[in-house]
PDB file of all heavy atoms in Angstrom:
ATOM      1  N   SER A1044      88.478  65.185 115.163  1.00  0.00           N
ATOM      2  CA  SER A1044      88.079  64.829 113.802  1.00  0.00           C
ATOM      3  C   SER A1044      86.578  65.373 113.639  1.00  0.00           C
ATOM      4  O   SER A1044      85.754  65.353 114.597  1.00  0.00           O
ATOM      5  CB  SER A1044      88.039  63.417 113.601  1.00  0.00           C
ATOM      6  OG  SER A1044      87.395  63.095 112.301  1.00  0.00           O
ATOM      7  N   THR A1045      86.295  65.883 112.465  1.00  0.00           N
ATOM      8  CA  THR A1045      84.859  66.200 112.081  1.00  0.00           C
ATOM      9  C   THR A1045      84.295  65.236 111.163  1.00  0.00           C
ATOM     10  O   THR A1045      83.258  65.484 110.550  1.00  0.00           O
ATOM     11  CB  THR A1045      84.893  67.622 111.508  1.00  0.00           C
ATOM     12  OG1 THR A1045      85.633  67.665 110.292  1.00  0.00           O
ATOM     13  CG2 THR A1045      85.475  68.721 112.443  1.00  0.00           C
ATOM     14  N   HIS A1046      84.941  64.080 111.006  1.00  0.00           N
ATOM     15  CA  HIS A1046      84.506  63.077 110.096  1.00  0.00           C
ATOM     16  C   HIS A1046      83.286  62.261 110.734  1.00  0.00           C
ATOM     17  O   HIS A1046      83.415  61.856 111.874  1.00  0.00           O
ATOM     18  CB  HIS A1046      85.624  62.142 109.728  1.00  0.00           C
ATOM     19  CG  HIS A1046      85.166  61.002 108.834  1.00  0.00           C
ATOM     20  ND1 HIS A1046      84.855  61.284 107.524  1.00  0.00           N
ATOM     21  CD2 HIS A1046      85.054  59.721 109.020  1.00  0.00           C
ATOM     22  CE1 HIS A1046      84.522  60.129 106.851  1.00  0.00           C
ATOM     23  NE2 HIS A1046      84.605  59.161 107.763  1.00  0.00           N
ATOM     24  N   VAL A1047      82.214  62.171 110.043  1.00  0.00           N
ATOM     25  CA  VAL A1047      81.058  61.322 110.444  1.00  0.00           C
ATOM     26  C   VAL A1047      81.114  60.031 109.607  1.00  0.00           C
ATOM     27  O   VAL A1047      80.925  60.094 108.494  1.00  0.00           O
ATOM     28  CB  VAL A1047      79.744  62.162 110.132  1.00  0.00           C
ATOM     29  CG1 VAL A1047      78.525  61.243 110.637  1.00  0.00           C
ATOM     30  CG2 VAL A1047      79.713  63.440 110.891  1.00  0.00           C
ATOM     31  N   PRO A1048      81.377  58.887 110.278  1.00  0.00           N
ATOM     32  CA  PRO A1048      81.487  57.685 109.571  1.00  0.00           C
ATOM     33  C   PRO A1048      80.289  57.415 108.685  1.00  0.00           C
ATOM     34  O   PRO A1048      79.135  57.689 109.003  1.00  0.00           O
ATOM     35  CB  PRO A1048      81.618  56.625 110.703  1.00  0.00           C
ATOM     36  CG  PRO A1048      82.087  57.355 111.820  1.00  0.00           C
ATOM     37  CD  PRO A1048      81.472  58.750 111.735  1.00  0.00           C
ATOM     38  N   ALA A1049      80.532  56.769 107.428  1.00  0.00           N
ATOM     39  CA  ALA A1049      79.483  56.524 106.567  1.00  0.00           C
ATOM     40  C   ALA A1049      78.359  55.606 107.125  1.00  0.00           C
ATOM     41  O   ALA A1049      77.220  55.828 106.879  1.00  0.00           O
ATOM     42  CB  ALA A1049      80.116  55.790 105.307  1.00  0.00           C
ATOM     43  N   GLY A1050      78.773  54.627 107.930  1.00  0.00           N
ATOM     44  CA  GLY A1050      77.767  53.743 108.570  1.00  0.00           C
ATOM     45  C   GLY A1050      76.823  54.530 109.452  1.00  0.00           C
ATOM     46  O   GLY A1050      75.610  54.264 109.462  1.00  0.00           O
ATOM     47  N   VAL A1051      77.323  55.503 110.145  1.00  0.00           N
ATOM     48  CA  VAL A1051      76.448  56.349 111.037  1.00  0.00           C
ATOM     49  C   VAL A1051      75.510  57.218 110.176  1.00  0.00           C
ATOM     50  O   VAL A1051      74.304  57.347 110.505  1.00  0.00           O
ATOM     51  CB  VAL A1051      77.344  57.312 111.863  1.00  0.00           C
ATOM     52  CG1 VAL A1051      76.469  58.381 112.647  1.00  0.00           C
ATOM     53  CG2 VAL A1051      78.122  56.511 112.857  1.00  0.00           C
ATOM     54  N   GLN A1052      76.083  57.733 109.069  1.00  0.00           N
ATOM     55  CA  GLN A1052      75.163  58.566 108.192  1.00  0.00           C
ATOM     56  C   GLN A1052      74.054  57.617 107.622  1.00  0.00           C
ATOM     57  O   GLN A1052      72.827  58.106 107.526  1.00  0.00           O
ATOM     58  CB  GLN A1052      75.952  59.162 106.998  1.00  0.00           C
ATOM     59  CG  GLN A1052      77.130  60.164 107.668  1.00  0.00           C
ATOM     60  CD  GLN A1052      77.562  61.057 106.527  1.00  0.00           C
ATOM     61  OE1 GLN A1052      76.798  61.582 105.694  1.00  0.00           O
ATOM     62  NE2 GLN A1052      78.820  61.173 106.546  1.00  0.00           N
ATOM     63  N   ARG A1053      74.362  56.453 107.184  1.00  0.00           N
ATOM     64  CA  ARG A1053      73.348  55.617 106.615  1.00  0.00           C
ATOM     65  C   ARG A1053      72.308  55.175 107.693  1.00  0.00           C
ATOM     66  O   ARG A1053      71.104  55.080 107.304  1.00  0.00           O
ATOM     67  CB  ARG A1053      74.056  54.363 105.926  1.00  0.00           C
ATOM     68  CG  ARG A1053      74.740  54.600 104.699  1.00  0.00           C
ATOM     69  CD  ARG A1053      75.077  53.313 104.048  1.00  0.00           C
ATOM     70  NE  ARG A1053      76.082  52.549 104.801  1.00  0.00           N
ATOM     71  CZ  ARG A1053      77.430  52.611 104.684  1.00  0.00           C
ATOM     72  NH1 ARG A1053      77.969  53.469 103.775  1.00  0.00           N
ATOM     73  NH2 ARG A1053      78.283  51.798 105.351  1.00  0.00           N
ATOM     74  N   MET A1054      72.759  54.935 108.871  1.00  0.00           N
ATOM     75  CA  MET A1054      71.827  54.664 109.950  1.00  0.00           C
ATOM     76  C   MET A1054      70.850  55.804 110.136  1.00  0.00           C
ATOM     77  O   MET A1054      69.623  55.590 110.304  1.00  0.00           O
ATOM     78  CB  MET A1054      72.669  54.282 111.208  1.00  0.00           C
ATOM     79  CG  MET A1054      71.739  54.017 112.397  1.00  0.00           C
ATOM     80  SD  MET A1054      72.707  53.746 113.935  1.00  0.00           S
ATOM     81  CE  MET A1054      73.365  55.367 114.227  1.00  0.00           C
ATOM     82  N   LEU A1055      71.442  57.055 110.338  1.00  0.00           N
ATOM     83  CA  LEU A1055      70.591  58.192 110.600  1.00  0.00           C
ATOM     84  C   LEU A1055      69.668  58.529 109.452  1.00  0.00           C
ATOM     85  O   LEU A1055      68.598  59.025 109.665  1.00  0.00           O
ATOM     86  CB  LEU A1055      71.471  59.380 110.950  1.00  0.00           C
ATOM     87  CG  LEU A1055      72.287  59.190 112.293  1.00  0.00           C
ATOM     88  CD1 LEU A1055      73.099  60.522 112.566  1.00  0.00           C
ATOM     89  CD2 LEU A1055      71.313  59.017 113.451  1.00  0.00           C
ATOM     90  N   ALA A1056      70.076  58.140 108.271  1.00  0.00           N
ATOM     91  CA  ALA A1056      69.233  58.434 107.063  1.00  0.00           C
ATOM     92  C   ALA A1056      67.874  57.663 107.192  1.00  0.00           C
ATOM     93  O   ALA A1056      66.910  58.007 106.543  1.00  0.00           O
ATOM     94  CB  ALA A1056      69.927  58.008 105.771  1.00  0.00           C
TER      95      ALA A1056
END
Side-chain angles (χ1 to χ4, degrees):
S1044 173
T1045 61
H1046 179 68
V1047 181
V1051 172
Q1052 296 193 47
R1053 288 192 292 269
M1054 175 185 69
L1055 293 179

